[in-house]
């Protein structure tokens, strides 16, 4: 009954749990009726379907209710999770090593710390350091205790993994350089760890340097409501020098102490499951994946499924390139034998039965394909209504970026006040500045929408947002933002005037002409600009002016429109402070009808 087990995860009486886009025959199986009954029921509802057709949530709900079933939709990750969840006997649970990620601002010493720890000087009985970089490594301390480090510093990797639903990290070490201060990426790292509910330890680094001031760092942390132990708070911190290794051993002890409090345990005596750390295609060896075993023990020859990828483990090595036959909980290993490169953060599980493994992988591949074609993966304002109808929508996560602190705070406060009994509004992260890649990744991981108040995304952030289907909404009036979100939460988005971006123009040169004002010599990078378009003037990702064109010219002549790749001259009504490098965004105001 493999077929039934992985789809019908926990049905009781007339309740069924399923993923969206199961096929007609699969749905019939779940309800234990013939597929012809499902097809004829669909026909009677005016929906023509064939046996292999995949159905969306609305149709599934409609048809199942006709058969007297109540449905609950779960996504593939939840499905995978439920499959992996095994009730272990508490007696079988054995302590396991903590898994640690190191995060912090650039140049504060994350890589130096990871490198120092790799080095044999703190590791008991190891001849030589770790030469390979496989994405994770395990160290054994002089007291015999072990710690596993994820070897990709920075919160981007951490959050990219979490975006795939992986909860891998047990403890986050936040590195802050004592000769610098708490910086934007330090704050981001803290937000990311907090959003993931992962305990933090602060490593105050570079204390060997002149000008190092640890108290300043503690003070800045306390201003963010993070009190370290020395200051009577609950967060452990340690002054270190990652370069000379000073106090790194004490930091490692503190990690162990934190781990002890977390009481990390896993059952080593069963089929393994865990998470993909990274995977790539190696010319000579085929697909090479670094995986982290989280529970059970992985052995050579085991049949693994990770997402829609599967295969038998042909070879297994550790970070020192040593062959391994087995890998228990919290052990990272590099393996060969999968039929593709699974995404990092994807969960994996060992199957006893090869046919079942293949079937699970194929089922996921089909659902993923269908989802890719048909669904919006992430939350948008328009999606709120649909999710409310599905009845599993409890929290609207938002990330707020703005041009000044005052607006960000005001917007954040007002939005939080919109929380109702049904939906809570939660501000996952807020900051001043351009919308960055890290913001988009955080939105992916937390299923959040991004609100840009007078700011825009960087080009790379915009690209990721598009690929990941992250909604970024732009506002220039706080009231508009609040109003729109309130309406969406009430499931009542009114048709409204929306700005449609039509072009992007770069200012190359600025000429000041007496009596006329500033004329910008520009290049249209994308789209086309029309004389009647309105414009936003953007400098370093921040909208500094919104208005109308005063003139648009090709050479000496007035132009109605200028196409992409073409140069033009333009002036902005009532605005002369143009600078080379500015970006001008042209937009139209159109009335859009909202569909829920
Ligand atoms: P990352 O960007 O956070 O990974 O930072 P790196 O580990 O690359 O370190 C940035 C720079 O700071 C490098 O030049 C390191 O040599 C230096 N550095 C790191 N830790 C220390 C330290 O404890 N003391 C001193 N003096 N320099 C350090």
């Amino acid at each position: 009954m493999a077929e039934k087990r992985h789809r019908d995860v926990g049905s009781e009486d007339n309740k069924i749990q399923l993923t969206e886009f199961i096929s007609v025959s699969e749905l019939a199986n779940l309800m234990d009726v013939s597929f012809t009954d499902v097809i004829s029921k669909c026909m009677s509802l005016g929906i023509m379907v064939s046996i292999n057709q995949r159905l969306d949530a609305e149709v599934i709900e409609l048809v199942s209710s006709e058969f007297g079933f109540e449905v609950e939709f779960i996504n593939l990750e939840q499905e995978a999770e439920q499959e992996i969840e095994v009730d272990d006997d508490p007696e079988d649970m054995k302590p396991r090593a903590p898994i640690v990620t190191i995060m912090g601002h650039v140049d504060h010493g994350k890589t130096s710390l990871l490198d120092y720890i790799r080095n044999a000087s703190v590791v008991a009985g190891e001849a030589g350091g770790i030469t390979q970089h496989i994405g994770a490594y395990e160290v054994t301390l002089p007291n015999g205790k072990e710690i596993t480090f994820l070897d990709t510093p920075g919160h981007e990797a951490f959050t990219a993994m979490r975006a795939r639903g992986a909860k891998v990290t047990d403890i986050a070490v936040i590195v802050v350089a004592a000769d610098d201060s708490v910086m934007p990426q330090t704050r981001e790292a803290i937000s990311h760890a907090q959003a993931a509910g992962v305990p933090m330890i602060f490593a105050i680094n570079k204390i060997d340097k002149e000008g190092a001031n640890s108290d300043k760092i503690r003070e800045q942390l306390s201003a963010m409501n993070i009190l370290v132990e020395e200051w009577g708070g609950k967060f452990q911190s340690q002054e270190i020098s990652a370069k000379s290794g000073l106090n790194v051993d004490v930091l490692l002890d503190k990690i162990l102490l934190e781990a002890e409090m977390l009481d990390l345990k896993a059952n080593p005596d069963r089929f393994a499951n865990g998470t993909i750390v990274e995977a790539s295609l190696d010319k000579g060896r085929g697909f090479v994946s670094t995986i982290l075993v989280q529970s059970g023990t992985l052995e050579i020859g085991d049949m693994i499924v990770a997402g829609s990828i599967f295969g038998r483990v042909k070879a297994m090595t550790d970070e020192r390139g040593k062959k391994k036959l087995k890998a228990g909980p919290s052990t990272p290993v590099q393996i060969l034998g999968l039929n593709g490169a699974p995404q990092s953060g994807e969960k994996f599980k060992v199957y006893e039965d090869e046919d079942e493994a293949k079937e699970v992988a194929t089922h996921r591949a089909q659902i993923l394909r269908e989802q890719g074609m048909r669904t919006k993966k992430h939350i948008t304002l328009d999606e709120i209504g649909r999710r409310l109808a599905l009845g599993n929508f409890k929290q609207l996560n938002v990330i707020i970026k703005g041009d000044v602190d005052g607006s960000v705070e005001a917007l954040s406060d007002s939005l939080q006040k919109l929380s109702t009994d049904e939906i809570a509004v939660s501000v996952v992260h807020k900051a001043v500045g351009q919308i960055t890649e890290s913001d988009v990744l955080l939105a992916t991981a937390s299923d959040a929408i991004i609100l840009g108040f007078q700011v825009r995304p960087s080009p790379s952030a915009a690209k990721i947002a598009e690929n990941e289907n992250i909604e970024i909404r732009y506002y220039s009036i706080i009231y508009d933002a609040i109003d729109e979100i309130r309406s969406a939460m009430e499931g009542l988005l009114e048709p409204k005037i929306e700005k449609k971006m039509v072009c992007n123009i770069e200012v190359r040169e600025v000429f000041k002409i007496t009596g006329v004002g500033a004329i910008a010599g520009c290049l249209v990078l994308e789209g086309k600009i029309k004389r009647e378009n309105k414009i936003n003037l953007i400098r370093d990702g921040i909208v500094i002016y919104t208005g109308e064109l005063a003139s648009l010219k090709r050479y000496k002549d007035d132009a109605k429109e200028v196409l992409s790749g073409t140069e033009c001259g333009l002036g902005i009504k009532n605005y002369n402070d143009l600078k080379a490098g500015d970006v001008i965004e042209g937009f139209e105001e159109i009335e859009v009808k909202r569909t829920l």
Side-chain angles (χ1 to χ4, degrees):
M1 288 302 281
E3 165 98 356
K4 192 111 178 147
R5 215 191 76 201
H6 76 268
R7 265 159 227 159
D8 178 12
V9 259
S11 73
E12 55 176 65
D13 306 333
N14 60 344
K15 250 195 180 163
I16 46 178
Q17 276 191 336
L18 36 70
T19 51
E20 199 175 6
F21 304 125
I22 61 169
S23 67
V24 167
S25 64
E26 288 167 339
L27 179 62
N29 253 341
L30 276 180
M31 299 190 296
D32 218 1
V33 298
S34 141
F35 68 86
T36 50
D37 290 344
V38 175
I39 294 180
S40 54
K41 190 62 80 182
C42 283
M43 278 169 79
S44 72
L45 292 166
I47 310 162
M48 295 299 175
V49 294
S50 63
I51 173 167
N52 290 321
Q53 191 158 333
R54 297 190 172 273
L55 308 172
D56 64 25
E58 273 174 288
V59 176
I60 293 173
E61 201 162 35
L62 207 61
V63 175
S64 325
S65 69
E66 288 285 315
F67 285 97
F69 284 95
E70 209 178 300
V71 293
E72 186 188 331
F73 290 101
I74 55 173
N75 58 33
L76 274 183
E77 279 105 33
Q78 287 170 313
E79 189 185 58
E81 203 134 278
Q82 290 188 341
E83 257 180 76
I84 283 172
E85 257 172 35
V86 182
D87 283 334
D88 283 307
D89 191 330
E91 280 184 13
D92 297 333
M93 300 294 276
K94 305 271 156 54
R96 65 168 177 87
I99 300 165
V100 177
T101 299
I102 295 187
M103 303 197 272
H105 196 72
V106 66
D107 278 349
H108 279 197
K110 301 179 291 295
T111 315
S112 308
L113 180 58
L114 276 166
D115 286 351
Y116 184 83
I117 297 171
R118 280 158 172 269
N119 190 300
S121 59
V122 288
V123 181
E126 295 279 359
I130 300 161
T131 46
Q132 293 199 60
H133 167 92
I134 65 164
Y137 65 82
E138 195 177 17
V139 293
T140 312
L141 304 186
N143 62 7
K145 296 247 166 81
E146 290 172 331
I147 304 178
T148 297
F149 286 91
L150 288 173
D151 196 7
T152 24
H155 51 264
E156 285 81 3
F158 173 81
T159 298
M161 282 194 130
R162 207 164 70 80
R164 311 248 85 81
K167 187 176 184 315
V168 183
T169 304
D170 299 308
I171 297 166
V173 171
I174 313 280
V175 177
V176 198
D179 66 334
D180 197 358
S181 37
V182 168
M183 297 293 281
Q185 284 174 319
T186 320
R187 285 207 185 83
E188 275 175 20
I190 293 171
S191 293
H192 285 234
Q194 283 175 332
V198 171
M200 295 178 278
I201 298 177
F202 291 86
I204 302 182
N205 190 29
K206 305 199 189 182
I207 52 157
D208 57 302
K209 274 184 103 171
E210 214 170 297
N213 182 352
S214 308
D215 266 338
K216 188 179 98 185
I217 304 296
R218 293 187 190 103
E219 189 186 320
Q220 288 173 340
L221 288 173
S222 77
M224 296 175 66
N225 271 333
I226 293 180
L227 277 183
V228 295
E229 276 180 344
E230 293 91 324
W231 284 32
K234 61 172 184 166
F235 292 95
Q236 294 197 83
S237 78
Q238 180 57 47
E239 295 180 358
I240 59 163
S241 165
K243 202 168 184 178
S244 71
L246 179 70
N247 289 342
V248 172
D249 52 343
V250 189
L251 175 68
L252 294 175
D253 282 339
K254 291 194 172 172
I255 293 175
L256 287 176
L257 186 68
E258 193 79 40
E260 239 163 66
M261 292 193 291
L262 293 171
D263 194 24
L264 304 167
K265 284 189 173 154
N267 176 5
D269 298 317
R270 59 175 171 89
F271 288 125
N273 65 57
T275 301
I276 307 293
V277 178
E278 46 180 57
S280 58
L281 179 60
D282 182 286
K283 267 198 199 119
R285 296 185 295 168
F287 291 101
V288 181
S289 320
T290 296
I291 65 173
L292 187 63
V293 177
Q294 290 175 282
S295 197
T297 297
L298 184 67
E299 297 185 23
I300 297 271
D302 278 350
M303 184 77 197
I304 281 187
V305 179
S308 51
I309 308 286
F310 66 95
R312 273 193 197 284
V313 178
K314 284 200 295 211
M316 194 150 61
T317 46
D318 67 10
E319 61 279 344
R320 290 166 180 82
K322 272 198 296 223
K323 287 212 164 60
K324 290 192 86 142
L325 296 174
K326 287 180 176 195
S330 295
T331 312
V333 277
Q334 205 172 45
I335 60 160
L336 300 180
L338 297 186
N339 71 343
Q343 281 183 301
S344 74
E346 194 89 70
K347 295 194 184 68
F348 77 82
K349 182 189 163 190
V350 170
Y351 280 79
E352 208 173 347
D353 181 75
E354 179 161 350
D355 292 335
E356 187 187 351
K358 282 185 188 159
E359 205 231 332
V360 169
T362 319
H363 159 73
R364 293 211 186 121
Q366 283 166 342
I367 299 266
L368 283 175
R369 208 173 307 132
E370 201 77 25
Q371 279 179 341
M373 284 185 318
R374 296 213 287 196
T375 51
K376 286 183 187 147
K377 223 167 94 205
H378 286 289
I379 186 76
T380 61
L381 285 191
D382 294 339
E383 261 270 300
I384 293 175
R386 179 172 159 259
R387 294 203 189 178
L388 281 174
L390 286 176
N392 54 1
F393 189 61
K394 296 276 177 305
Q395 182 164 318
L396 173 62
N397 292 329
V398 296
I399 291 172
I400 302 175
K401 293 301 284 267
D403 56 344
V404 290
D405 203 43
S407 327
V408 172
E409 290 303 323
L411 193 54
S412 159
D413 282 352
S414 317
L415 288 179
Q416 269 159 342
K417 284 195 197 120
L418 289 180
S419 297
T420 64
D421 290 344
E422 272 112 49
I423 322 176
V425 180
S426 161
V427 178
V428 186
H429 178 61
K430 57 183 175 185
V432 171
Q434 198 177 35
I435 297 165
T436 61
E437 279 176 50
S438 158
D439 295 328
V440 178
L441 281 172
L442 183 58
T444 318
S446 323
D447 201 12
I449 54 177
I450 300 178
L451 308 181
F453 188 80
Q454 293 287 71
V455 290
R456 293 290 179 273
S458 67
S460 54
K463 196 169 269 163
I464 305 180
E466 195 179 325
N467 290 342
E468 294 282 334
N469 266 321
I470 292 298
E471 182 170 46
I472 305 183
R473 301 202 65 109
Y474 305 110
Y475 298 98
S476 45
I477 299 171
I478 290 186
Y479 181 75
D480 280 352
I482 299 166
D483 208 35
E484 215 170 84
I485 293 196
R486 183 192 296 117
S487 319
M489 284 168 58
E490 286 165 356
L492 297 170
L493 278 179
E494 294 291 322
K496 59 159 292 197
I497 305 291
E498 201 166 76
K499 290 178 182 178
K500 179 174 170 243
M501 299 307 162
V502 293
C503 64
N504 247 319
I505 300 172
E506 189 183 47
V507 176
R508 292 277 167 98
E509 250 181 299
V510 180
F511 310 94
K512 301 266 173 179
I513 300 172
T514 347
V516 178
I519 294 293
C522 302
L523 178 68
V524 182
L525 298 175
E526 244 181 298
K528 73 176 170 196
I529 175 88
K530 289 191 184 156
R531 176 66 180 81
E532 69 269 20
N533 288 155
K534 297 208 160 155
I535 57 101
N536 288 318
L537 179 66
I538 298 161
R539 189 168 297 155
D540 299 329
I542 299 199
V543 179
I544 53 175
Y545 185 75
T546 299
E548 292 172 25
L549 289 180
S551 62
L552 180 65
K553 286 186 192 285
R554 282 277 295 145
Y555 303 108
K556 293 261 167 299
D557 307 324
D558 281 333
K560 269 206 175 119
E561 57 179 44
V562 179
L563 303 180
S564 147
T566 319
E567 291 181 340
C568 64
L570 58 81
I572 297 175
K573 216 179 253 180
N574 302 327
Y575 192 86
N576 285 320
D577 183 28
L578 284 152
K579 291 211 167 72
D582 285 350
V583 171
I584 294 173
E585 195 178 67
F587 63 88
E588 280 168 6
E589 291 181 322
I590 47 171
E591 185 171 296
V592 282
K593 213 172 145 82
R594 284 283 166 62
T595 49
L596 284 174

